[in-house]
Amino acid sequence: MHPGNLWGGRLDAIDSDRAEAEEEERRRNMTEWDRGALHSQQLSAEHQRNQLDETQQGWLLAPQDSWKKKRKKYVNLGCVSVSRTIFMWTVGSILVLFLVVALPIIIVKSLPRHKSTPPPPDNYTLAIHKAIQFFDAQKSGKLPKKDRVSWRGDSGLKDGLPDVVGGLVGGYYDGGSNTKFHFPMAFSMTMLSWSLIEYSEKFKAINEYDHMRDVLKWGTDYLLLTFNNSATRLDHIYAQVGGGLRDSESPDDIYCWQRPEDMSYDRPVISLTTATDLGAEVASALAAASIVFNDKPTYAKKLKKGAETLWPFFRNKNRRKRYSDGQPMIQAFYNSTSMFDELMWAGAWLYYATGNQTYIQFATTPSVPQTAKAFANQPELMVPSWNNKLPGAMLLMTRYRLFLNPGFPYENMLSRYHNATGVTMCAYLKQYNVFNRTSGGLIQLNMGKPRPLEYVAHASFLASLFADYLNSTGVPGWYCGPTFVSTQVLKDFAKSQIDYILGDNPLKMSYIVGFGKKFPRHVYHRGATIPNDKKRRSCREGLKYRDTKNPNPNNITGAMVGGPNKSDQFHDIRSNYNASEPTMSGNAGIVAALISLTSSGGYQIDKNTMFNSVPPLYPPAPPPPKTWKP
């Protein structure tokens, strides 16, 4: 311890005095140093400074202002700082990209858009626009104000009066005469309903859906008048309004050649107390239409009620009889040869419309198809028409098996219907030689008899529809014996036959009036042959228009005529009514076939609407148990 620090530690004041004394001693000694050596040291330091490289001089020796000028500048982006040069390059690049890429896109997007031109409609679409118009030309009763056929007017406003309460005003004339045949009319409405159910999206795509529903409702409104639809039990049904005999000379629909608007003769109503086939067909039409109008619950309910009211009437064994038996004015035109095919047909439609299992149980009772000879494999029973519903009824129930597969207790009979449908489709194919063909390729389903096109149209629809059923379930085809046949083969068959009708035939003639450049001009049709000049012609005054060689003054657009003979020949003359007269059922078939083949609206069918009223096939799952509470 220093003697002057009584407390310990450093004494700064004492140390400071000592430091000053030592410094003074050093300065005195400085004068004694070798001044030459000092000067040499100074020169050496100066030389070392001069040896610094340029970079070191730049930052060690450069003036302060010069250093500030060369320092890089940065841009603070908040989370990071980047060089200003890099920042400017980046912004510039983005701006260039915007001008080169984004700006043209924005300009193009901002320009007014022009709708892309849709593909032109195919021939099937063009033809169906025509074919539907035929029904507008056949309307009876008080026509709508905006009727589509300029040469037609109100007619038949006293039909059924005074004998029928409320009358029988409305409906459709069948063909070239002014008779209303209820049997083929009901079948036509059933077929139109079927095509509307299966191909509703196609009808919408070609803007004909509402038109078709109007056509259908005009028919079903009338069919509801043909029996007492407000009763619980029926004892009669009306089968026909008007008519006549071919050799008659009394004023009637056959003897008189008059426009419907000019009729003044009596038009008798045929009322029947036994009419199994007619009652079943009317019920089928109402049931099928109720599915079409499921978006109008009140009307659909009325149609279902009418169909179910008819069921006990035509099922009554005491009333089991063909409607045409003993009726010469019916037999000469629409003579029914069976009634059990209509019973199967009605059972299927009523089941789809109501979901009541009574109807499907009846349609799959073995005795019904056996009596109808459904599995006889007779060629004439494979031909669909207003008189034979077997192919249609079996295909309709094949649909049930393909899409819902209900199993027991229906599987056995449904599988037989499915197999019989396959056999029918095989029979339509050329390689199996079941039906003859003309040299031009038209299948002779009516065995060479007149009016072949109606049968061809209906068969083409069923073939095309069966192919669509298989395609919709992922099945590529079916077997004809040991040979597997693809669905495309069936589609090709249907197309070949409809193409023949549209003009792909030896005469290069379309058999649908108004379609193509060459079509029949002398159609056997009273309203189309007489000028619409507001002059009334009497019962026989119209004959000169029937017998003239001049073309019809009014084209009955969309009418499909009876068609050529078995040699592909067609004589465009009115007197040959078997070839030149159109019919309702024929046009219903061609509309259905055309809509099934058109590419407008896609190729898919509506799988579900048909089954809207069909209850679940299996019991629903039980509800989950209630939450337990202590």
Coordinates of all heavy atoms in Angstrom, one line a residue, residues 300-361:
A300 N -101.7 -33.0 -64.4 CA -101.2 -34.3 -64.3 C -102.1 -35.2 -63.5 O -102.3 -36.4 -63.8 CB -99.7 -34.3 -63.7
K301 N -102.5 -34.7 -62.4 CA -103.4 -35.5 -61.5 C -104.7 -35.8 -62.2 O -105.3 -37.0 -62.1 CB -103.8 -34.7 -60.2 CG -104.6 -35.4 -59.2 CD -104.8 -34.6 -58.0 CE -105.7 -35.3 -57.0 NZ -105.9 -34.5 -55.7
K302 N -105.2 -34.9 -63.0 CA -106.5 -35.2 -63.8 C -106.2 -36.2 -64.8 O -107.1 -37.1 -65.0 CB -106.9 -33.9 -64.5 CG -108.2 -33.9 -65.2 CD -108.6 -32.6 -65.8 CE -110.0 -32.7 -66.5 NZ -110.4 -31.3 -67.0
L303 N -105.1 -36.2 -65.5 CA -104.8 -37.2 -66.4 C -104.6 -38.6 -65.8 O -105.1 -39.6 -66.3 CB -103.5 -36.9 -67.2 CG -103.5 -35.6 -68.1 CD1 -102.1 -35.3 -68.6 CD2 -104.5 -35.8 -69.2
K304 N -104.0 -38.7 -64.6 CA -103.8 -40.0 -63.9 C -105.2 -40.5 -63.5 O -105.4 -41.7 -63.6 CB -102.9 -39.8 -62.7 CG -101.5 -39.5 -63.0 CD -100.7 -39.3 -61.7 CE -99.3 -38.9 -62.0 NZ -98.5 -38.7 -60.7
K305 N -106.0 -39.6 -63.0 CA -107.3 -40.0 -62.5 C -108.1 -40.6 -63.7 O -108.8 -41.7 -63.5 CB -108.1 -38.9 -61.9 CG -109.5 -39.2 -61.4 CD -110.2 -38.0 -60.8 CE -111.6 -38.4 -60.3 NZ -112.5 -38.9 -61.4
G306 N -108.0 -40.0 -64.8 CA -108.7 -40.5 -66.0 C -108.2 -41.9 -66.4 O -109.0 -42.8 -66.7
A307 N -106.9 -42.0 -66.4 CA -106.3 -43.3 -66.7 C -106.8 -44.4 -65.8 O -107.1 -45.6 -66.2 CB -104.8 -43.2 -66.8
E308 N -106.8 -44.1 -64.5 CA -107.1 -45.1 -63.5 C -108.6 -45.4 -63.5 O -109.0 -46.5 -63.1 CB -106.6 -44.7 -62.1 CG -105.1 -44.6 -62.0 CD -104.7 -44.5 -60.6 OE1 -104.7 -43.4 -60.0 OE2 -104.3 -45.6 -60.0
T309 N -109.4 -44.4 -63.9 CA -110.9 -44.7 -64.0 C -111.1 -45.6 -65.1 O -112.1 -46.5 -65.1 CB -111.6 -43.3 -64.3 OG1 -111.3 -42.4 -63.2 CG2 -113.1 -43.5 -64.4
L310 N -110.4 -45.6 -66.2 CA -110.6 -46.5 -67.3 C -110.1 -47.9 -67.0 O -110.6 -48.8 -67.6 CB -109.8 -45.9 -68.5 CG -110.4 -44.8 -69.3 CD1 -109.3 -44.1 -70.2 CD2 -111.6 -45.3 -70.1
W311 N -109.2 -48.1 -66.1 CA -108.6 -49.4 -65.8 C -109.7 -50.5 -65.5 O -109.7 -51.5 -66.2 CB -107.6 -49.3 -64.7 CG -107.0 -50.6 -64.3 CD1 -107.3 -51.4 -63.3 CD2 -105.9 -51.3 -64.9 NE1 -106.5 -52.5 -63.2 CE2 -105.6 -52.5 -64.2 CE3 -105.1 -51.0 -66.0 CZ2 -104.6 -53.4 -64.5 CZ3 -104.1 -51.9 -66.4 CH2 -103.8 -53.0 -65.6
P312 N -110.6 -50.3 -64.6 CA -111.6 -51.4 -64.3 C -112.5 -51.5 -65.5 O -113.1 -52.6 -65.6 CB -112.3 -50.9 -63.0 CG -112.0 -49.4 -63.0 CD -110.7 -49.2 -63.6
F313 N -112.7 -50.5 -66.3 CA -113.7 -50.6 -67.4 C -113.1 -51.6 -68.4 O -113.8 -52.5 -68.9 CB -113.9 -49.2 -68.0 CG -114.6 -49.2 -69.3 CD1 -116.0 -49.5 -69.3 CD2 -114.0 -49.0 -70.5 CE1 -116.7 -49.5 -70.5 CE2 -114.7 -49.0 -71.7 CZ -116.0 -49.3 -71.7
F314 N -111.9 -51.4 -68.9 CA -111.4 -52.3 -69.9 C -110.8 -53.6 -69.4 O -110.5 -54.5 -70.1 CB -110.3 -51.5 -70.8 CG -109.1 -51.1 -70.1 CD1 -108.0 -52.0 -69.8 CD2 -108.8 -49.8 -69.8 CE1 -106.9 -51.6 -69.2 CE2 -107.6 -49.4 -69.2 CZ -106.7 -50.3 -68.9
R315 N -110.6 -53.7 -68.0 CA -110.2 -54.9 -67.5 C -111.3 -55.9 -67.1 O -111.1 -57.1 -66.9 CB -109.4 -54.6 -66.2 CG -108.0 -54.1 -66.4 CD -107.0 -55.3 -66.7 NE -106.8 -56.1 -65.5 CZ -107.2 -57.3 -65.3 NH1 -107.8 -58.0 -66.3 NH2 -107.0 -58.0 -64.2
N316 N -112.6 -55.4 -67.2 CA -113.7 -56.2 -66.8 C -113.9 -57.3 -67.9 O -114.0 -57.1 -69.1 CB -115.0 -55.3 -66.9 CG -116.2 -56.0 -66.3 OD1 -116.4 -57.2 -66.4 ND2 -117.0 -55.2 -65.6
K317 N -113.9 -58.5 -67.4 CA -114.0 -59.7 -68.3 C -115.3 -59.7 -69.0 O -115.3 -60.2 -70.1 CB -113.8 -61.0 -67.5 CG -112.4 -61.2 -66.9 CD -112.3 -62.5 -66.2 CE -110.9 -62.7 -65.7 NZ -110.7 -64.1 -65.0
N318 N -116.3 -59.2 -68.4 CA -117.6 -59.1 -69.1 C -117.6 -58.1 -70.2 O -118.5 -58.2 -71.1 CB -118.7 -58.8 -68.1 CG -118.9 -59.8 -67.0 OD1 -118.7 -61.0 -67.3 ND2 -119.2 -59.4 -65.8
R319 N -116.7 -57.2 -70.3 CA -116.6 -56.2 -71.3 C -115.4 -56.5 -72.3 O -115.0 -55.6 -73.0 CB -116.5 -54.8 -70.7 CG -117.6 -54.4 -69.9 CD -117.4 -53.0 -69.3 NE -118.5 -52.6 -68.4 CZ -119.7 -52.1 -68.7 NH1 -119.9 -51.9 -70.0 NH2 -120.5 -51.8 -67.8
R320 N -114.8 -57.6 -72.1 CA -113.6 -57.9 -72.9 C -113.9 -58.2 -74.4 O -114.5 -59.3 -74.7 CB -112.8 -59.1 -72.3 CG -111.5 -59.4 -72.9 CD -110.7 -60.4 -72.1 NE -110.4 -59.9 -70.8 CZ -109.8 -60.7 -69.9 NH1 -109.6 -62.0 -70.1 NH2 -109.5 -60.2 -68.7
K321 N -113.6 -57.2 -75.2 CA -113.9 -57.3 -76.6 C -113.1 -56.3 -77.4 O -112.9 -55.2 -76.9 CB -115.4 -57.1 -76.8 CG -115.9 -57.3 -78.2 CD -117.4 -57.1 -78.3 CE -118.0 -57.2 -79.7 NZ -119.4 -56.9 -79.7
R322 N -112.8 -56.6 -78.6 CA -112.1 -55.6 -79.4 C -113.0 -54.5 -79.8 O -114.2 -54.8 -80.2 CB -111.5 -56.3 -80.7 CG -110.3 -57.3 -80.3 CD -109.8 -58.0 -81.6 NE -110.9 -58.7 -82.2 CZ -110.8 -59.4 -83.4 NH1 -109.6 -59.3 -84.0 NH2 -111.8 -60.1 -83.9
Y323 N -112.6 -53.3 -79.8 CA -113.5 -52.2 -80.1 C -114.1 -52.2 -81.5 O -115.1 -51.6 -81.7 CB -112.8 -50.9 -79.8 CG -112.1 -50.2 -80.9 CD1 -112.5 -49.0 -81.5 CD2 -110.9 -50.8 -81.5 CE1 -111.9 -48.4 -82.6 CE2 -110.3 -50.2 -82.6 CZ -110.8 -49.0 -83.1 OH -110.1 -48.5 -84.2
S324 N -113.4 -52.8 -82.4 CA -113.8 -52.7 -83.8 C -114.8 -53.8 -84.2 O -115.4 -53.8 -85.3 CB -112.6 -52.7 -84.8 OG -111.8 -53.9 -84.5
D325 N -114.9 -54.8 -83.3 CA -115.8 -55.9 -83.7 C -117.3 -55.4 -83.9 O -117.8 -54.7 -83.0 CB -115.8 -56.9 -82.5 CG -114.5 -57.7 -82.5 OD1 -113.7 -57.6 -83.4 OD2 -114.3 -58.5 -81.5
G326 N -117.8 -55.8 -85.1 CA -119.2 -55.4 -85.4 C -119.4 -53.9 -85.7 O -120.5 -53.5 -85.8
Q327 N -118.3 -53.2 -86.0 CA -118.4 -51.8 -86.4 C -117.8 -51.6 -87.8 O -116.6 -51.4 -87.9 CB -117.6 -51.0 -85.3 CG -118.1 -51.1 -83.9 CD -119.5 -50.5 -83.8 OE1 -119.8 -49.5 -84.5 NE2 -120.3 -51.0 -82.9
P328 N -118.6 -51.6 -88.8 CA -118.1 -51.5 -90.2 C -117.4 -50.2 -90.5 O -116.4 -50.2 -91.3 CB -119.4 -51.7 -91.0 CG -120.5 -51.4 -90.1 CD -120.1 -51.8 -88.8
M329 N -117.8 -49.1 -89.9 CA -117.2 -47.8 -90.1 C -115.8 -47.7 -89.4 O -115.0 -46.8 -89.7 CB -118.0 -46.7 -89.7 CG -119.2 -46.4 -90.6 SD -119.9 -44.8 -90.5 CE -120.5 -44.7 -88.8
I330 N -115.5 -48.7 -88.5 CA -114.2 -48.8 -87.9 C -113.4 -49.8 -88.6 O -112.2 -49.6 -88.9 CB -114.3 -49.1 -86.4 CG1 -115.0 -47.9 -85.7 CG2 -112.9 -49.3 -85.8 CD1 -115.2 -48.2 -84.2
Q331 N -113.9 -51.0 -88.8 CA -113.2 -52.1 -89.4 C -112.6 -51.7 -90.8 O -111.5 -52.2 -91.1 CB -114.1 -53.3 -89.5 CG -114.4 -54.0 -88.2 CD -115.4 -55.2 -88.4 OE1 -116.2 -55.2 -89.3 NE2 -115.2 -56.2 -87.5
A332 N -113.2 -50.9 -91.5 CA -112.8 -50.6 -92.9 C -111.5 -49.8 -92.8 O -110.8 -49.7 -93.8 CB -113.8 -49.8 -93.7
F333 N -111.2 -49.2 -91.6 CA -110.0 -48.3 -91.6 C -109.0 -48.7 -90.5 O -107.8 -48.7 -90.7 CB -110.5 -46.8 -91.3 CG -111.5 -46.4 -92.4 CD1 -112.8 -46.4 -92.2 CD2 -111.0 -45.9 -93.6 CE1 -113.7 -46.0 -93.2 CE2 -111.8 -45.4 -94.6 CZ -113.2 -45.5 -94.4
Y334 N -109.5 -48.9 -89.3 CA -108.6 -49.2 -88.1 C -109.2 -50.4 -87.3 O -109.6 -50.3 -86.2 CB -108.5 -48.0 -87.2 CG -107.6 -46.9 -87.8 CD1 -108.2 -45.8 -88.4 CD2 -106.2 -47.0 -87.9 CE1 -107.4 -44.8 -89.0 CE2 -105.5 -46.0 -88.4 CZ -106.1 -44.9 -89.0 OH -105.3 -43.9 -89.6
N335 N -109.1 -51.5 -88.0 CA -109.6 -52.8 -87.4 C -108.5 -53.3 -86.5 O -107.4 -53.6 -86.8 CB -109.9 -53.8 -88.5 CG -110.5 -55.1 -87.9 OD1 -111.3 -55.0 -87.0 ND2 -110.0 -56.2 -88.4
S336 N -108.9 -53.5 -85.2 CA -107.9 -54.1 -84.2 C -107.9 -55.6 -84.3 O -109.0 -56.2 -84.4 CB -108.4 -53.6 -82.8 OG -107.5 -54.2 -81.8
T337 N -106.8 -56.2 -84.2 CA -106.6 -57.6 -84.3 C -106.3 -58.3 -83.0 O -106.3 -59.5 -82.9 CB -105.6 -58.0 -85.4 OG1 -104.3 -57.4 -85.0 CG2 -105.9 -57.5 -86.8
S338 N -106.0 -57.5 -82.0 CA -105.7 -58.1 -80.7 C -106.0 -57.1 -79.6 O -106.3 -55.9 -79.9 CB -104.3 -58.5 -80.6 OG -104.0 -59.1 -79.3
M339 N -106.0 -57.5 -78.4 CA -106.2 -56.5 -77.3 C -105.3 -56.7 -76.1 O -105.1 -55.9 -75.3 CB -107.7 -56.6 -76.8 CG -108.2 -57.9 -76.4 SD -110.0 -57.9 -76.0 CE -110.3 -59.7 -76.0
F340 N -104.6 -57.9 -76.0 CA -103.8 -58.2 -74.9 C -102.5 -57.4 -75.0 O -101.8 -57.1 -74.0 CB -103.5 -59.7 -74.8 CG -104.7 -60.4 -74.1 CD1 -105.7 -60.9 -74.9 CD2 -104.7 -60.6 -72.8 CE1 -106.7 -61.6 -74.4 CE2 -105.8 -61.2 -72.2 CZ -106.8 -61.7 -73.0
D341 N -102.1 -57.0 -76.2 CA -100.9 -56.1 -76.3 C -101.2 -54.7 -75.7 O -100.3 -54.2 -75.1 CB -100.5 -56.0 -77.8 CG -101.6 -55.5 -78.7 OD1 -102.8 -55.9 -78.4 OD2 -101.3 -54.8 -79.7
E342 N -102.4 -54.3 -75.9 CA -102.8 -53.0 -75.3 C -102.9 -53.1 -73.8 O -102.6 -52.1 -73.1 CB -104.1 -52.5 -75.9 CG -104.1 -51.8 -77.2 CD -104.1 -52.8 -78.4 OE1 -104.5 -53.9 -78.1 OE2 -103.8 -52.3 -79.5
L343 N -103.3 -54.3 -73.3 CA -103.3 -54.5 -71.8 C -101.9 -54.4 -71.2 O -101.7 -53.8 -70.2 CB -104.0 -55.8 -71.5 CG -105.5 -55.9 -71.8 CD1 -106.0 -57.3 -71.5 CD2 -106.3 -54.9 -71.0
M344 N -100.9 -55.1 -71.9 CA -99.5 -55.0 -71.4 C -99.0 -53.5 -71.5 O -98.4 -53.0 -70.5 CB -98.6 -55.9 -72.3 CG -98.9 -57.4 -72.1 SD -97.9 -58.3 -73.4 CE -96.3 -57.7 -73.1
W345 N -99.3 -52.9 -72.6 CA -98.9 -51.5 -72.8 C -99.5 -50.6 -71.7 O -98.8 -49.8 -71.1 CB -99.5 -51.2 -74.2 CG -99.2 -49.8 -74.8 CD1 -100.2 -49.0 -75.2 CD2 -98.0 -49.3 -75.3 NE1 -99.7 -47.9 -75.9 CE2 -98.3 -48.1 -75.9 CE3 -96.7 -49.7 -75.3 CZ2 -97.3 -47.2 -76.5 CZ3 -95.7 -48.9 -75.8 CH2 -96.0 -47.7 -76.4
A346 N -100.8 -50.7 -71.4 CA -101.4 -49.9 -70.4 C -100.9 -50.2 -69.0 O -100.7 -49.2 -68.2 CB -102.9 -50.1 -70.5
G347 N -100.6 -51.4 -68.7 CA -100.1 -51.8 -67.4 C -98.8 -51.1 -67.1 O -98.5 -50.6 -66.1
A348 N -97.9 -51.1 -68.2 CA -96.6 -50.5 -68.0 C -96.7 -49.0 -67.8 O -96.1 -48.4 -66.9 CB -95.7 -50.8 -69.2
W349 N -97.5 -48.3 -68.6 CA -97.7 -46.9 -68.6 C -98.3 -46.4 -67.3 O -97.9 -45.4 -66.6 CB -98.4 -46.3 -69.8 CG -97.6 -46.2 -71.0 CD1 -97.7 -46.8 -72.2 CD2 -96.5 -45.3 -71.1 NE1 -96.8 -46.4 -73.1 CE2 -96.0 -45.5 -72.5 CE3 -95.8 -44.4 -70.3 CZ2 -94.9 -44.8 -73.0 CZ3 -94.7 -43.7 -70.8 CH2 -94.3 -43.9 -72.1
L350 N -99.3 -47.1 -66.8 CA -100.0 -46.8 -65.6 C -99.1 -47.0 -64.4 O -99.1 -46.2 -63.4 CB -101.3 -47.6 -65.4 CG -102.5 -47.1 -66.1 CD1 -103.6 -48.1 -66.3 CD2 -103.1 -45.9 -65.4
Y351 N -98.2 -48.0 -64.4 CA -97.2 -48.1 -63.3 C -96.3 -47.0 -63.3 O -96.0 -46.4 -62.2 CB -96.5 -49.4 -63.5 CG -95.4 -49.6 -62.5 CD1 -95.7 -49.7 -61.1 CD2 -94.1 -49.7 -62.8 CE1 -94.8 -49.9 -60.1 CE2 -93.1 -49.9 -61.9 CZ -93.4 -49.9 -60.5 OH -92.5 -50.1 -59.5
Y352 N -95.7 -46.6 -64.4 CA -94.8 -45.5 -64.4 C -95.5 -44.2 -64.0 O -94.8 -43.3 -63.4 CB -94.2 -45.3 -65.8 CG -93.2 -46.4 -66.2 CD1 -93.2 -46.8 -67.5 CD2 -92.4 -47.0 -65.3 CE1 -92.3 -47.8 -67.9 CE2 -91.5 -48.0 -65.7 CZ -91.4 -48.4 -67.0 OH -90.6 -49.4 -67.3
A353 N -96.7 -44.0 -64.4 CA -97.4 -42.8 -64.0 C -97.8 -42.7 -62.6 O -97.8 -41.6 -62.0 CB -98.7 -42.6 -64.9
T354 N -98.2 -43.8 -62.0 CA -98.7 -43.8 -60.6 C -97.8 -44.4 -59.6 O -97.9 -44.1 -58.4 CB -100.1 -44.5 -60.6 OG1 -99.9 -45.9 -60.8 CG2 -101.0 -43.9 -61.6
G355 N -97.0 -45.4 -60.0 CA -96.2 -46.1 -59.0 C -97.0 -47.2 -58.3 O -96.4 -47.9 -57.4
N356 N -98.2 -47.4 -58.7 CA -99.1 -48.5 -58.1 C -98.6 -49.8 -58.6 O -98.7 -50.1 -59.8 CB -100.5 -48.2 -58.4 CG -101.5 -49.1 -57.7 OD1 -101.1 -50.3 -57.3 ND2 -102.7 -48.7 -57.5
Q357 N -98.2 -50.7 -57.7 CA -97.6 -52.0 -58.1 C -98.7 -52.9 -58.7 O -98.3 -53.9 -59.4 CB -97.0 -52.7 -56.9 CG -95.7 -52.0 -56.4 CD -95.0 -52.7 -55.3 OE1 -95.5 -53.7 -54.8 NE2 -93.8 -52.3 -55.0
T358 N -99.9 -52.6 -58.6 CA -101.0 -53.4 -59.2 C -100.8 -53.5 -60.7 O -101.0 -54.6 -61.3 CB -102.4 -52.8 -58.9 OG1 -102.6 -52.8 -57.5 CG2 -103.5 -53.6 -59.6
Y359 N -100.3 -52.4 -61.3 CA -100.2 -52.4 -62.7 C -99.0 -53.1 -63.2 O -99.1 -53.9 -64.2 CB -100.1 -50.9 -63.2 CG -101.3 -50.1 -62.7 CD1 -101.2 -49.0 -61.9 CD2 -102.6 -50.5 -63.1 CE1 -102.3 -48.2 -61.5 CE2 -103.7 -49.7 -62.6 CZ -103.5 -48.6 -61.8 OH -104.6 -47.9 -61.4
I360 N -97.9 -53.1 -62.5 CA -96.7 -53.8 -63.0 C -96.9 -55.3 -62.7 O -96.4 -56.1 -63.5 CB -95.4 -53.2 -62.4 CG1 -94.2 -53.8 -63.1 CG2 -95.4 -53.5 -60.9 CD1 -94.0 -53.4 -64.5
Q361 N -97.6 -55.6 -61.6 CA -97.9 -57.0 -61.4 C -98.7 -57.6 -62.5 O -98.5 -58.8 -62.9 CB -98.6 -57.2 -60.0 CG -97.7 -56.9 -58.8 CD -98.4 -56.8 -57.5 OE1 -99.7 -56.8 -57.5 NE2 -97.7 -56.6 -56.4

